Amino acid sequence: MSLKERIDSLLEEARKIKLASAEESEKYRIRILGKKGEMNELFEEFKKIQPEMKKNIGQALNELKTAVQEKIQQAKNDFGSAQQADNGQADFDMSRPVEDTVGHRHPLSLIREEIYRIFGKIGFDISDGPEIEDDWHLFTALNFAPEHPARDMQDTFFVEKNGLNDVALRTHTSSVQIRTMKEKPLPIRTLCPGRVYRNEAVSARAHCFFHQVEGLYVDKGVSYADLREVLLYFAKEMFGSKTEIRLRPSYFPFTEPSAEMDIACSICGGKGCQLCKGTGWVEILGCGMVDPNVLENCGIDPHTYSGFAFGMGVERIANLLYRVNDLRLFSENDRRFLAQF
Ligand code: DAH
């Protein structure tokens, strides 16, 4: 068959052909106009023909191309494109952005940022410290007795045992208090957020790592009344303006006096339910007046300065606000969980 005859027969086909679906149209397009299709082959041969024949054959080729394109366009109007018909499989573009790329803030980030906002309004800044910490910042400077159980391998992950300079994954963010008091000028009003580690079996109620936010205020004349007012303000901002708090006497080596703060149970409103175990109160944080020994350890004169500190678990607050009853959900990165926030 000569070149002209091949063009004519394809032109006749293009005029007659009935494309009955998007798939058929796509197949036809590939056969004629595709990279290895008839059209390209014809153009290759077209390059080789005598110059005096080029005008005629060229016109015929263009006529064919237009006829094929019109047919395909017609099919597209009738059936949509093949990509739409088969969900893009026919022409899969790996570089195209995924439709559902809008991310979600992690619930713990949402809570942490809310804590920053609330304390930021009353002048608290943010301090940072390392997750791998030495014994002095973690325990000794915080007034822990040498035989305190937190110094035991059973409770703490030690990274390296090296005589007195034991190095561990920090068990609490109170270590950042020490760094801040040593480094920052007074007065100090700061939050120390971060991940902490404990040697616990992982379950719905305990995890080997979780998140805390520590608070510290050191100045002349800071009193327990200041601590109470600041924590009441926080509880009302975080859990609602009607929230009540109570401070129960407690013990921490680094505060004296020490207390634990409860809020009236947000679920039963104080009547008693499963969450508050029938007491009407749920514990939120530990707090107290910075022990004079701790101030001294950081080079601050406890006769001139005083301070308060508090520490809370971010997961605990997220549990209360979002009713998440399995701690593991926070670190499994299951999109079905994360997409809810
Ligand atoms: N560090 C304590 C813990 O991990 C929490 C805490 C209690 C921090 C009392 C404080 C505080 O600053 O004053 O359980």
Side-chain angles (χ1 to χ4, degrees):
M1 228 196 283
S2 73
L3 184 54
K4 180 76 169 72
E5 281 165 347
R6 279 175 64 194
I7 296 172
D8 285 345
S9 101
L10 286 171
L11 188 59
E12 201 182 317
E13 180 196 39
R15 286 186 180 136
K16 283 193 190 146
I17 196 168
K18 295 228 174 337
L19 299 172
S21 67
E23 286 77 25
E24 263 186 50
S25 156
E26 180 63 3
K27 270 190 200 146
Y28 177 62
R29 184 190 68 77
I30 291 169
R31 177 161 66 83
I32 310 292
L33 301 178
K35 241 186 183 170
K36 292 182 185 156
E38 302 265 10
M39 208 68 192
N40 272 347
E41 242 175 62
L42 295 176
F43 269 109
E44 280 307 308
E45 288 194 23
F46 174 70
K47 284 184 201 159
K48 296 179 212 153
I49 60 174
Q50 306 289 333
E52 60 270 20
M53 298 189 48
K54 285 222 158 141
K55 194 173 168 214
N56 253 344
I57 303 277
Q59 267 175 1
L61 269 175
N62 280 334
E63 205 180 328
L64 171 62
K65 196 173 173 185
T66 312
V68 171
Q69 280 171 339
E70 276 172 6
K71 263 278 143 74
I72 291 168
Q73 187 55 49
Q74 185 59 48
K76 227 180 227 171
N77 295 345
D78 292 347
F79 313 112
S81 70
Q83 277 111 299
Q84 286 161 339
D86 67 3
N87 269 336
Q89 294 300 311
D91 200 2
F92 192 72
D93 178 0
M94 299 280 279
S95 65
R96 256 179 64 194
V98 194
E99 268 160 39
D100 186 22
T101 46
V102 180
H104 299 272
R105 308 291 287 147
H106 192 282
L108 297 180
S109 302
L110 293 172
I111 298 288
R112 196 179 47 223
E113 274 154 27
E114 181 63 4
I115 297 172
Y116 293 168
R117 185 193 66 78
I118 293 170
F119 284 102
K121 275 186 10 191
I122 53 171
F124 279 71
D125 64 9
I126 294 168
S127 303
D128 200 15
E131 291 186 15
I132 298 176
E133 189 56 283
D134 58 61
D135 175 280
W136 192 78
H137 289 92
L138 208 45
F139 303 125
T140 304
L142 285 160
N143 211 29
F144 280 73
E147 67 281 2
H148 194 283
R151 295 177 187 252
D152 195 316
M153 301 270 280
Q154 235 111 55
D155 296 291
T156 300
F157 290 114
F158 284 92
V159 176
E160 190 181 287
K161 271 221 140 192
N162 186 17
L164 278 176
N165 295 323
D166 292 346
V167 175
L169 296 183
R170 69 177 172 202
T171 51
H172 55 182
T173 43
S174 302
S175 53
V176 189
Q177 272 189 36
I178 301 296
R179 291 185 175 272
T180 310
M181 283 192 271
K182 290 205 74 181
E183 285 157 23
K184 284 196 179 168
L186 293 163
I188 291 169
R189 233 177 302 166
T190 199
L191 297 177
C192 319
R195 184 173 283 189
V196 301
Y197 301 83
R198 301 218 179 145
N199 198 349
E200 303 239 17
V202 175
S203 71
R205 311 202 46 155
H207 211 297
C208 57
F209 65 79
F210 56 99
H211 300 81
Q212 289 186 329
V213 175
E214 186 88 8
L216 176 70
Y217 178 27
V218 183
D219 200 351
K220 288 178 183 152
V222 177
S223 71
Y224 193 83
D226 296 326
L227 170 62
R228 194 180 187 289
E229 278 311 301
V230 165
L231 292 180
L232 179 62
Y233 155 76
F234 165 70
K236 286 178 183 247
E237 287 278 316
M238 195 81 203
F239 300 102
S241 57
K242 297 210 168 70
T243 306
E244 289 174 55
I245 64 165
R246 76 174 182 190
L247 290 161
R248 270 181 297 107
S250 184
Y251 173 78
F252 299 102
F254 37 89
T255 42
E256 181 58 36
S258 305
E260 276 166 314
M261 183 179 97
D262 300 337
I263 59 165
C265 179
S266 54
I267 291 185
C268 63
K271 287 192 198 84
C273 68
Q274 229 186 345
L275 181 82
C276 61
K277 300 191 194 84
T279 64
W281 297 92
V282 281
E283 188 199 318
I284 293 292
L285 52 80
C287 60
M289 300 306 291
V290 181
D291 192 299
N293 288 342
V294 175
L295 293 174
E296 231 161 48
N297 289 339
C298 299
I300 295 171
D301 178 6
H303 301 290
T304 315
Y305 287 93
S306 57
F308 66 68
F310 54 87
M312 64 184 102
V314 183
E315 279 83 349
R316 175 109 188 109
I317 297 189
N319 281 349
L320 284 173
L321 286 177
Y322 300 137
R323 312 273 152 83
V324 178
N325 52 18
D326 189 331
L327 270 177
R328 292 169 291 197
L329 286 167
F330 289 120
S331 51
E332 279 170 352
N333 282 337
D334 186 330
R335 291 188 66 238
R336 289 168 302 179
F337 172 69
L338 298 175
Q340 297 175 63
F341 299 94

